[in-house]
Each structure stands twice: as C-alpha cells, then as structure tokens.
Amino acid sequence: MCGIIGIVGQTPVAPRLIESLKRLEYRGYDSAGIAAFENGRVVRRRAEGKLRNLEAVLQSEPVQATVGVGHTRWATHGRPSERNAHPHQAGRVTVVHNGIIENFAELKAELAGQGRSFESETDTEVVAHLIDSELKAGKPPVEAFKAALDRLRGAYALAVIIEGETQLVLGARHGPPLVVGWGQGEMFLGSDALAVGPFTNRVSYLHDGDYVALDAQGARVFDGTGAEVSRPPKQVSSSAAVMEKGNYRHFMEKEIHDQPEAVQHTLAAYLDPVRMRAEAPDGFDFSTIDRIQIVACGTAYYAGVIAKYLFERYAGLPTDVEVASEFRYRSPALSPRTLAIAISQSGETADTLAALRHARAEGQKIAVVVNVPTSSMAREADRLWPTHAGPEIGVASTKAFTAQVSALTALVIAAAGKRKKVDGNEQARMVRLLLEAPRLIAEASEAEDEVRAIAYDLSKARDVLYLGRGAMSALAMEGALKLKEISYIHAEGYAAGELKHGPIALIDEQTPVIALAPYDELFEKTQSNLQEVGARGGPVIAVTDRRGAPHLSSTARLIIAPEADPLIAPLVFAPAIQLLAYYTAVHKGTDVDQPRNLAKSVTVE
Ligand code: F6R
C-alpha cells in the first residue's frame, strides 16, 4: 500500500524525504509527493508516476525546509494523477494517508454542505478538511486531530502537518502500521521501520488506535481513548545493506537467487541437525490438536495449499486452507482443538490480519508463519513461527514463498513426529531431505539458459495454462500468478486431472501449457494429460527431473530440475516457475519489480 514518512529534523528535509520514499516505493509507485515548512509556510511538490518524476520536480523547484512529510501512492480512491497525489491540503492542514476512509462520501457531503470545496477525488482530502474545520472551531492542534479521528471509519495511517505549527508532525494508526523513529534531537514517523531506517534504528510501534504528536524533542503518544501512553522504542536491525540489488538487474532476480540462503536461515529455526529432529521454535505439541485452519492471501495462500498436502500426507492432520478475504466474512465451523495458522510475508496484509482476529474472536489459538517479526500479525499471534527470508523488495514474492514452504515443511515433520506418524529413523530421514533443499534450490536456479529461451516464446503468448498434480497443482497456481503479475499475460493454474473437465477447450497452437511433472507416483497420469494437450496442438513445456525427461522429450520442451523427494519437490521446482515468469517479463520489457496496479503490502481490504 502507500508509504508514509514524516520528519521533524535539523537538516534539509527534502533529500531525506526522498531517500525514505525510495525505500517505500515498493509499497506504491503511481505518484508521490512531499510537503514541508518553508519560511513558516507549507509548500508542496507532487508528481504522477515514479519517484524520479518527483525528484525532477524538486530539482526545478527546490524546497528549503527541515520539517515535512512525504508519500508514495498506490491508488484506491481516484486514478493516479498529480491532482490525486498526496499530500492533500485544506486550509492550514496537510495530510498524507495510507488506507481507506470508508465513510468519506458521507463526510465529504457534510463538509461540502458547509461550503468546503475539494480539489481531488481522494478519500484523504476529507481528513484534511475535518481537521481544518476543528481548528477553525478553536481547538488546539492535537485536540482538533483527535476530534477528526473520531469521525473516521475505515483503515488508515496518517501523517499531518499544520501551518503555524512548524515543529509538529501528527500521526495516527487505525489498521495499517505506523512507527515512530527516535533520532538525536530529531524525530521521524514512518509506515514501517524501513521508512525511518536511513535515519535511526530506534523505533516504537504504535498500537492500533494510537495517535501521536512529534516534535524535535520526542513523541507524545495517546491511545484511542485519548489517554497518554508509553510506547518505548526498540532497537531494530539495520536493513539498509540488504536492500541493494548488487549485480542483479532486478530485485526479483536477486531474490530468486537469494533463496538457498533464505531457506537455510529459515530451516535453522526449525531443524536440529545434530539430533536430526524438527520442532516448532516454541516447541508446540501438534498432538494437542485435531485440525489446522490456514488463512492467507495470494502467494502465501499457495504456500498454505502446499502445506495442506504435506500435513495430511505425512502427519495425518486434517488441514483446511482458505483465502483470508473469504474466511473473515463467513462463519467457519471451528472446533476447540483446531489451530489457526496465518501465513504472511509482510505480517500486515489487511485481509489476513482480519481473518486472524476473526479466528481469535471465535476462540481459536493462532500461530503465524511470518517474515517480519515486528509486524502486527507477529505481535498479535499466540505463536510466532518465523521465516528468515530477509526483506523482500520485488513486488512478486519469491524467496518469502520458499521460506514459508520450508518452515511449513519443517512443521509437518515436527507434527508427524509428535503425532507418532513416523518413528525416530523416519523423522531423521525427512530432516535429512529437508536439509538438502537449499543445495537443490541453488542447483535448480542454474537452469537459466533453457528457461530464458522458453520464456522468449512465452512472451508472445496471450494465455498460458499451468498444470500439476498433488502439491504441484498448488505450485502450478503460484506459477500462473507469478506470470500474470509481472508479464501481464493471462495464465491459470489447474490440477492436471481437471483439464479434461473444461479448460482443455482453451488449448490450441497459441496456448502454451506448462506442466510441473516430477518423476513421482503421479508422473504417468500427468504424462497422459500432456499427451491430450499435444493431440490438440498445444505447445507443451514440462518442468521435470532427469528420470522424467526421457518420457517427455517427444511431447514437450524440457526444463530439468534436480530430482527431489515429494516432501521437498515443491521447493525444488519453485525456481523454475519463478525464473520463467521473470524472463518472460524481461523479454516483454515490463517493470519487473514494480508491476502495474500492484503493491507489496496490501493493507486495505
Ligand atoms: C504475489 C504476492 C501477493 C502476496 C499477498 C500476501 O507475488 O506477493 O500475492 O503473497 O498479497 O501478502 P503477505 O504475504 O505479505 O500477506
């Protein structure tokens, strides 16, 4: 979603706002803007499109100031344009906002009735007007801010400056996260720790409902009732270094190649390579539950579907998986011996967070498999099961996905052990297999030459089908999602056996079919499905291993992945589908790291 930064500093603020926005560009990049106090007046610079456009504006119209706010936008209300770019202003008030004000239409009508006029199509502008009207009614700044907050419904993080209050930045959190950064004689407000990372690593996480007043000396934080509260700062690790692309052309390419390390770091939290045992980091006893309910969105959801196959197959543990946006709005039948697991890279996805809260309200215990240990989900769950993928910047998730699948696979082994589905020897064998995964993922990422050539042809396609069986059907869906996201080619993933029940009608010479076909117990079935495709003239690409290759070489173009036990095959086959999507997008010349219409962390419904 949108990125927010606010600075009460001592040195020129414009370059600092830009530096921070560069780190936040992964959240949204359809327009950007800043506002700051220049000689006591608020000046504003905004530009449609990427941040470099705002930088160009600032070059021709520089801003001399030390206090200000900045924003990078992912449009919700109002199309991307300079007019709709934040900051938004009304009277003395200037606002940047992440989230959605649900009752904005009602508030706008009321404010318009008072003679106020609006210059943008955004929901944010009503917030500026509300605060301004409270100021006009005579309230001091913090009270005016609180009175306006009390009128808002929806999810929001806000940063606000007020003309006449040149050393003050106000912030509020209702839903999306907001952090306060503590400097030496200067203070910062950001939509996450990355935003304030260039200036400080001492960070307080605001709680839901908090609002805050910052000046150069510190922060006064109030909870939703208006009571002053303490949110002591924590030391966070410096993330500046890991955010470089190195020699790679895109973050996504780097992150695909980071996967062996991401998986290895993650597994270190779950596997004991001396005793050859797997355990949840908090020692959770899976024999105390009868069922698992997984909730997640997008790529994290597909990691959950893979986990379902594995939990049921190896641990005999019934597992349901549901997209969070559906789960939160129905009445799932949950039993007391169910463990709810939310899976999320960011730990902030609004739908997943709401599903987690929904499950909690239904009396469930909650575990989260999450990559950001300081995120809302990590803080709200009963059990934190981390992935250690490091910051993921490319909008299309890669290393966070394999880190999730590896953590979940380790939990499957732990569950199989605790539930006595496997003996000590079998558990040791499974742990050994999983410990091999980082090496095999590295080997899988070397198939780049074949992948690049095939991707060139894929880049000409209009539609692509992905097929797989078992856990590979979930990876097929993830492959289709990756291709859609970054190359804008329409793609669907199917369980291979479903093809004949409808999708086969789509097959013609122009519709490539990508099969994920490890040489396992279902290989022959998939092979037959591919023959059905070939018979209808569809070009077939098979991702298989050395044992499967001779059986498919006459029907398909091949990408060879390392041979892998079914326990780890989804991990080992993942780089092939990620690289295929990546090189297809590169051939098409799309914006790989910041594809159109998407944002990294989706903190609205
Ligand atoms: C796809 C992608 C998204 C996310 C989804 C959930 O490449 O990145 O589908 O997986 O928005 O995000 P998190 O994992 O942060 O909850």
Side-chain angles (χ1 to χ4, degrees):
M1 254 359 56
C2 308
I4 290 179
I5 174 73
I7 299 177
V8 188
Q10 309 286 351
T11 57
V13 80
R16 302 176 95 188
L17 292 171
I18 292 291
E19 187 177 356
S20 170
L21 291 180
K22 280 188 179 152
R23 282 154 208 274
L24 292 175
E25 216 183 0
Y26 75 97
R27 289 176 151 252
Y29 35 79
D30 57 43
S31 57
I34 68 163
F37 291 107
E38 195 173 63
N39 304 321
R41 310 270 315 165
V42 174
V43 294
R44 179 166 65 150
R45 304 283 184 267
R46 301 180 295 170
E48 185 183 337
K50 293 289 178 72
L51 199 51
R52 56 179 173 269
N53 300 352
L54 177 64
E55 287 182 275
V57 170
L58 278 164
Q59 229 156 31
S60 55
E61 297 172 73
V63 168
Q64 307 298 337
T66 58
V67 176
V69 293
H71 188 267
T72 175
R73 179 167 188 247
W74 184 80
T76 58
H77 290 66
R79 63 183 181 82
S81 66
E82 185 182 332
R83 198 160 66 94
N84 287 332
H86 298 217
H88 289 286
Q89 293 185 315
R92 291 169 61 200
V93 178
T94 301
V95 174
V96 294
H97 164 217
N98 170 27
I100 291 176
I101 307 297
E102 284 170 2
N103 56 339
F104 92 100
E106 183 184 317
L107 293 170
K108 194 169 178 175
E110 177 188 320
L111 290 157
Q114 295 164 10
R116 289 183 167 265
S117 57
F118 292 81
E119 33 171 75
S120 76
E121 301 151 321
T122 66
D123 52 344
T124 308
E125 204 181 343
V126 300
V127 181
H129 278 283
L130 271 181
I131 303 171
D132 188 58
S133 74
E134 298 291 350
L135 288 169
K136 283 232 161 68
K139 293 203 173 80
V142 179
E143 271 176 49
F145 185 45
K146 169 67 172 146
L149 294 177
D150 287 343
R151 303 286 320 275
L152 304 179
R153 276 207 321 270
Y156 52 81
L158 296 165
V160 175
I161 55 176
I162 297 174
E163 213 151 65
E165 302 287 340
T166 57
Q167 291 297 303
L168 178 71
V169 171
L170 298 170
R173 173 187 178 190
H174 194 265
L178 196 64
V179 306
V180 173
W182 299 74
Q184 299 284 346
E186 38 184 27
M187 293 294 293
F188 309 90
L189 190 66
S191 40
D192 57 28
L194 285 178
V196 302
F199 320 116
T200 180
N201 57 3
R202 289 179 63 229
V203 164
S204 307
Y205 292 86
L206 294 184
H207 293 195
D208 218 13
D210 282 357
Y211 60 103
V212 60
L214 300 183
D215 61 22
Q217 308 319 319
R220 294 182 66 198
V221 184
F222 307 87
D223 68 13
T225 69
E228 192 158 350
V229 287
S230 159
R231 305 284 181 235
K234 294 183 179 152
Q235 203 83 9
V236 295
S237 64
S238 157
S239 48
V242 283
M243 288 196 51
E244 302 302 331
K245 274 197 288 243
N247 289 331
Y248 293 101
R249 226 189 320 169
H250 297 101
F251 277 109
M252 181 178 178
E253 184 188 16
K254 172 176 184 289
E255 287 161 3
I256 290 172
H257 290 281
D258 280 348
Q259 290 183 110
E261 210 180 337
V263 168
Q264 195 158 30
H265 285 164
T266 300
L267 290 178
Y270 296 82
L271 301 183
D272 177 345
V274 177
R275 290 172 49 243
M276 296 302 271
R277 290 288 173 268
E279 191 154 54
D282 57 359
F284 178 69
D285 183 353
F286 282 88
S287 69
T288 61
I289 56 167
D290 292 339
R291 178 170 284 276
I292 290 176
Q293 171 69 59
I294 294 176
V295 287
C297 301
T299 289
Y301 167 77
Y302 295 128
V305 180
I306 291 171
K308 170 186 166 68
Y309 278 96
L310 302 181
F311 271 118
E312 297 201 337
R313 173 171 179 168
Y314 295 100
L317 194 48
T319 302
D320 292 317
V321 195
E322 189 161 352
V323 287
S325 54
E326 287 299 318
F327 180 84
R328 64 182 290 196
Y329 287 121
R330 60 182 197 90
S331 312
L334 302 166
S335 68
R337 281 173 60 93
T338 301
L339 176 72
I341 304 180
I343 307 172
S344 177
Q345 188 285 125
S346 62
E348 303 294 351
T349 301
D351 285 319
T352 311
L353 191 56
L356 176 156
R357 289 175 182 158
H358 182 54
R360 142 98 18 95
E362 297 287 316
Q364 302 288 291
K365 287 279 175 237
I366 319 281
V368 287
V369 174
V370 74
N371 198 42
V372 181
T374 49
S375 59
S376 304
M377 282 182 221
R379 282 178 285 123
E380 289 192 24
D382 302 302
R383 302 179 174 279
L384 170 57
W385 293 341
T387 54
H388 294 291
E392 189 179 61
I393 306 302
V395 163
S397 186
T398 52
K399 64 176 181 171
F401 170 72
T402 42
Q404 285 159 355
V405 174
S406 53
L408 289 160
T409 308
L411 291 165
V412 166
I413 304 175
K418 294 266 196 229
R419 296 168 64 81
K420 310 257 180 287
K421 296 287 170 192
V422 294
D423 61 15
N425 287 340
E426 179 57 9
Q427 182 168 171
R429 189 189 74 87
M430 293 168 87
V431 169
R432 201 170 304 116
L433 285 171
L434 190 50
L435 285 169
E436 287 286 292
R439 181 179 64 77
L440 295 175
I441 292 170
E443 208 179 307
S445 315
E446 283 163 16
E448 284 197 59
D449 290 345
E450 296 135 85
V451 171
R452 220 173 304 175
I454 292 173
Y456 180 75
D457 293 340
L458 271 191
S459 69
K460 312 272 179 271
R462 211 188 59 184
D463 305 287
V464 178
L465 292 184
Y466 285 72
L467 302 179
R469 281 177 180 265
M472 288 298 169
S473 65
L475 194 64
M477 290 173 207
E478 167 61 6
L481 177 64
K482 286 285 90 84
L483 191 74
K484 280 188 267 216
E485 284 182 295
I486 59 170
S487 74
Y488 315 144
I489 294 172
H490 171 245
E492 298 299 333
Y494 279 101
E498 271 293 289
L499 190 69
K500 57 188 176 295
H501 298 293
I504 201 163
L506 296 171
I507 304 293
D508 62 16
E509 291 77 14
Q510 320 305 329
T511 311
V513 173
I514 300 174
L516 306 180
Y519 194 74
D520 58 15
E521 67 274 23
L522 296 172
F523 178 82
E524 283 179 10
K525 310 258 176 232
T526 310
Q527 194 185 2
S528 309
N529 300 136
L530 296 186
Q531 259 142 15
E532 289 153 18
V533 173
R536 284 154 184 87
V540 179
I541 296 145
V543 186
T544 187
D545 50 35
R546 280 194 202 295
R547 289 171 64 207
H551 303 275
L552 294 175
S553 54
S554 58
T555 3
R557 288 174 80 180
L558 301 181
I559 297 170
I560 309 290
E563 275 173 54
D565 187 275
L567 180 72
I568 58 164
L571 286 169
V572 177
F573 276 53
I577 54 133
Q578 297 164 341
L579 287 166
L580 260 181
Y582 173 73
Y583 282 113
T584 305
V586 169
H587 285 309
K588 286 199 74 174
T590 56
D591 191 339
V592 171
D593 282 334
Q594 297 179 341
R596 69 185 181 202
N597 304 343
L598 296 178
K600 184 71 186 158
S601 174
V602 186
T603 53
V604 292
E605 272 189 55

